[in-house]
């Protein structure tokens, strides 16, 4: 059992029953660092307290690995999104003491920047101001919105680093499972560096070809990551078979969609020798064990999928040099994230090459000691 699955009690869990309105959900604070913690809010019909706790612990590990002085937290709301403005007004009133007490909550699956603006406003919370910290000289939206592709950038850096460590010098064949904002950004990143996208999956199935031009594919994809099959060229193969993305001949697989996409039931179909997680909890513990046993290498999301969380934490902890002009500040954040992802990916692969089993616990312990 790895450090990620070891039984673990969070710092505290708040059950959300709604202040001045109906609400069902949780905020789990997995850890605190100098009284601070942060993480996104997920809203789905099936989100559970256990899932939120796992995601909160994921955040703790991301920040330890990145060396950021903040703890991990996560929010969950059980809802189908009906009457979302009232839902997030109620959420804002309910979590107001947490936001003002050092628990910064952002966006995750099912929650948009507009939703965040609603619950920030209802709570009277402005992340520019915090006791004991210098004020942010710009508003949150101005800082954060230009960084939308930072997660995809970090996942791309992890992929390229893993390919280089495995001696790949020529173009690699890449499959991207999930074509939302992260999947699209990763695909662009890798194509720009000479690699070939040969398969992409969305909720309707998998499309594949000897080469899928990324710009053309994005042009027929909507904002939710759904590909319009009627606008694809005739040489593109479309499959509705479950998990057909596993059957595409590829060197590297990027998991950029749902939880446990790679699991105990489908891991035996894995053809790629390298897997990079671009989503939270993208593979199960059993799947990771099977992948390692088959000789595959997996870079977990706590290393690769840090761009969004890391860029937000850089601002909350006031590490960002806010005096830089907008483009220079964006470049600084992207470089900072890329450097952390590259270092952690290399060190993880070095540990894995030297020792059998899961290399992540050893890397986490090393980074814990470095952060103090």
């Amino acid at each position: 059992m790895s450090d990620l699955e070891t039984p673990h009690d969070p710092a505290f869990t708040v059950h959300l029953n709604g202040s001045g309105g109906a609400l069902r959900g949780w905020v789990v604070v997995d850890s605190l660092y100098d009284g601070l913690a942060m993480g996104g809010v997920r809203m789905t019909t099936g989100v559970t307290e256990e899932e939120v706790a796992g995601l909160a612990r994921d955040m703790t590990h991301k920040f330890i690995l990145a060396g950021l002085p903040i703890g991990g937290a996560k929010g969950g709301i059980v809802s189908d999104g009906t009457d979302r403005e009232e839902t997030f007004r109620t959420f804002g009133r309910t979590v107001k003491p947490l936001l003002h007490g050092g628990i910064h909550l952002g966006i995750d699956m099912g929650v948009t920047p507009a939703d965040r603006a609603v619950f920030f406003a209802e709570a009277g919370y402005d992340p520019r101001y915090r006791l004991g910290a210098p004020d942010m000289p710009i508003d949150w939206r101005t800082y954060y919105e230009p960084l939308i592709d930072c997660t995809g950038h970090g996942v791309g850096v992890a992929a390229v680093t893993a390919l280089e460590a495995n001696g790949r010098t020529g173009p690699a064949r890449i499959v991207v499972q999930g074509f939302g904002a992260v999947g699209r950004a990763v695909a662009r990143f890798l194509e720009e560096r000479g690699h070939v996208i040969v398969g992409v999956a969305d909720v309707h199935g998998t499309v594949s070809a000897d080469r899928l031009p990324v710009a053309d594919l994005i042009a027929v994809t909507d904002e939710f990551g759904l590909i319009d099959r009627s606008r694809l060229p005739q040489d593109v193969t479309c499959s509705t078979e479950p998990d057909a993305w596993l059957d595409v001949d590829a060197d590297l697989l990027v998991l950029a969609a749902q939880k446990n996409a790679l699991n105990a039931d489908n891991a035996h179909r894995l053809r790629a020798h390298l897997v990079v997680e671009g989503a939270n909890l993208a593979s199960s513990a059993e799947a990771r064990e099977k992948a390692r046993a088959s000789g595959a290498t997996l870079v977990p999301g706590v290393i690769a999928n840090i761009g969004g969380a890391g860029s937000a934490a850089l601002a909350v902890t006031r590490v960002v040099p806010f005096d830089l002009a907008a483009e220079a500040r964006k470049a600084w954040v992207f470089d900072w994230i890329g450097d952390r992802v590259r270092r952690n990916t290399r060190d993880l692969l070095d540990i894995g090459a030297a020792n059998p089993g899961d290399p992540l616990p050893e890397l986490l312990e090393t980074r814990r000691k470095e952060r103090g």
Side-chain angles (χ1 to χ4, degrees):
M1 182 178 288
S2 80
D3 184 62
L4 296 180
E5 283 76 48
T6 304
H8 171 86
D9 291 328
F12 62 89
T13 299
V14 178
H15 291 246
L16 307 177
N17 298 310
S19 174
L23 186 72
R24 181 178 174 229
W26 310 267
V27 172
V28 178
V29 177
D30 181 77
S31 60
L32 289 161
Y33 192 98
D34 288 341
L36 296 176
M38 67 168 292
V41 178
R42 173 168 296 195
M43 183 172 74
T44 67
T45 56
V47 67
T48 65
E49 181 180 353
E50 181 183 18
E51 180 181 356
V52 176
L55 291 165
R57 192 168 195 212
D58 230 30
M59 296 299 292
T60 290
H61 289 152
K62 286 182 181 183
F63 296 142
I64 288 171
L65 289 163
L68 284 163
I70 194 166
K74 207 75 177 181
I77 301 172
V78 182
S79 174
D80 63 1
T82 303
D83 198 12
R84 62 190 307 124
E85 181 165 348
E86 184 54 35
T87 295
F88 284 104
R89 287 189 184 282
T90 303
F91 181 76
R93 292 192 297 270
T94 308
V95 301
K96 179 177 179 178
L98 297 176
L99 291 171
H100 289 278
I103 311 303
H104 178 86
L105 299 171
I107 59 176
D108 193 69
M109 185 185 301
V111 180
T112 69
D115 298 328
R116 179 182 58 202
V118 170
F119 73 75
F120 275 13
E122 193 68 20
Y125 173 67
D126 189 334
R128 290 179 296 177
Y129 311 117
R130 194 181 79 243
L131 288 175
D135 293 346
M136 282 178 62
I138 55 174
D139 67 84
W140 191 257
R141 181 176 178 180
T142 299
Y143 168 73
Y144 197 70
E145 287 195 356
L147 305 175
I148 186 66
D149 287 338
C150 197
T151 298
H153 174 78
V155 176
V157 169
V160 168
T161 304
L163 286 166
E164 291 172 349
N166 277 263
R168 187 80 194 193
T169 55
R173 293 167 57 86
I174 313 288
V175 171
V176 180
Q177 182 262 339
F179 212 52
V182 173
R184 294 194 295 271
V186 174
R188 283 194 302 265
F189 182 100
L190 293 173
E191 186 183 65
E192 287 169 0
R193 284 153 182 80
H195 300 294
V196 181
I197 308 302
V198 297
V200 169
D202 64 8
V203 296
H204 296 308
T206 302
V207 302
S208 60
D210 288 336
R211 178 184 292 271
L212 292 168
V214 174
D216 294 347
L217 196 58
I218 290 174
V220 299
T221 303
D222 69 14
E223 61 180 313
F224 303 106
L226 301 179
I227 301 164
D228 184 348
R229 268 69 171 169
S230 69
R231 298 169 63 190
L232 291 171
Q234 291 185 347
D235 64 340
V236 174
T237 299
C238 299
S239 173
T240 58
E241 289 296 314
D243 304 333
W245 41 272
L246 281 164
D247 304 321
V248 179
D249 183 24
D251 303 298
L252 184 144
L253 168 65
V254 176
L255 299 173
Q258 77 272 21
K259 175 185 175 183
N260 290 343
L262 188 67
N263 53 64
D265 295 329
N266 64 17
H268 67 280
R269 292 166 56 186
L270 180 66
R271 300 182 69 177
H273 292 294
L274 289 172
V275 180
V276 174
E277 293 187 341
N280 294 317
L281 308 178
S283 63
S284 70
E286 296 87 350
R288 293 192 294 274
E289 187 174 345
K290 286 186 175 183
R292 285 194 300 271
S294 70
T297 298
L298 185 142
V299 181
V302 290
I303 287 176
N305 174 30
I306 192 181
S311 56
L314 285 167
V316 171
T317 57
R318 306 301 195 255
V319 174
V320 174
F322 288 109
D323 56 328
L324 294 176
E327 280 304 311
R329 184 173 61 245
K330 176 181 175 179
W332 187 93
V333 172
F334 271 63
D335 287 347
W336 194 97
I337 294 294
D339 288 346
R340 295 309 186 277
V341 170
R342 188 176 299 107
R343 179 191 180 210
N344 282 326
T345 301
R346 287 174 176 165
D347 288 355
L348 181 90
L349 298 179
D350 287 346
I351 294 169
N355 302 296
D358 185 358
L360 186 57
E362 182 176 337
L363 181 60
L364 272 166
E365 186 58 28
T366 298
R367 296 289 183 260
R368 235 186 230 110
K369 291 176 180 176
E370 291 172 351
R371 188 177 73 162

